[in-house]
């Protein structure tokens, strides 16, 4: 006999349509919840604004990743081609004015570092890889990829209360409200 302790993840509520989900998202945002998310089988235009989501900081990561790549390439090429081992080809000088010869490697490392920054920044922001999510244990969540529109409010939210959140979800049109639990690790 095994005994596993479970912890409340939050509530999952289903909505009838994309427009109902959109309007419910606005109400959840206005109620001041912070740890919640919407799930739908297709992208809903403007839902991120209805959820009150801010612009991602990923473009800033990519910008600084690209700058790092450019600086790395310049430092690498300049130090090896001008300072340590001056390369004189067809009597051309080896100094700061030979920078155009470094443009291909600067371009390549800018793209390479930007690409790596996108990959690892996205994984970090999305907290991936994650092998399992508590919502996968839900009886109805599998319909989020077919015809279901859901809002999940996490128990970690400061405004979460077992009875208050459930009645709030009912009042904004949620149906089939399910308490989702996860096993403690």
């Amino acid at each position: 006999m095994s005994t596993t302790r479970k912890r409340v993840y939050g509530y999952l509520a289903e909505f009838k349509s994309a427009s109902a989900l959109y309007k419910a998202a606005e109400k959840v945002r206005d109620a001041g919840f912070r740890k919640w998310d919407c799930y739908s089988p297709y992208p809903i235009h403007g839902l991120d604004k209805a959820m009150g989501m801010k612009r991602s900081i990923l473009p800033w990561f990519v910008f600084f990743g690209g700058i790092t790549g450019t600086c790395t390439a310049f430092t690498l090429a300049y130090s090896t081609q001008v300072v340590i081992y001056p390369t004189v080809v067809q009597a051309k000088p080896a100094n700061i004015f030979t920078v155009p010869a470094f443009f291909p490697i600067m371009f390549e490392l800018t793209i390479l570092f930007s690409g790596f920054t996108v990959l690892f920044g996205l994984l970090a922001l999305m907290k991936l890889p994650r092998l399992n999510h508590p919502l996968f244990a839900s009886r109805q969540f599998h319909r989020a990829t077919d015809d279901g529109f859901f809002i999940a409010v996490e128990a970690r939210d400061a405004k979460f209360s077992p009875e208050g959140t459930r009645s709030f979800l009912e009042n904004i049109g949620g149906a089939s409200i399910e308490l989702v639990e996860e096993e403690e690790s």
Side-chain angles (χ1 to χ4, degrees), residues 22-50:
Y22 184 94
K23 291 173 184 167
E26 290 177 326
K27 292 176 182 172
V28 173
R29 175 200 64 200
D30 293 342
F33 287 96
R34 297 278 183 222
K35 305 249 184 236
W36 60 285
D37 206 350
C38 294
Y39 302 94
S40 72
Y42 51 83
I44 300 172
H45 181 72
L47 185 61
D48 51 346
K49 190 173 280 185

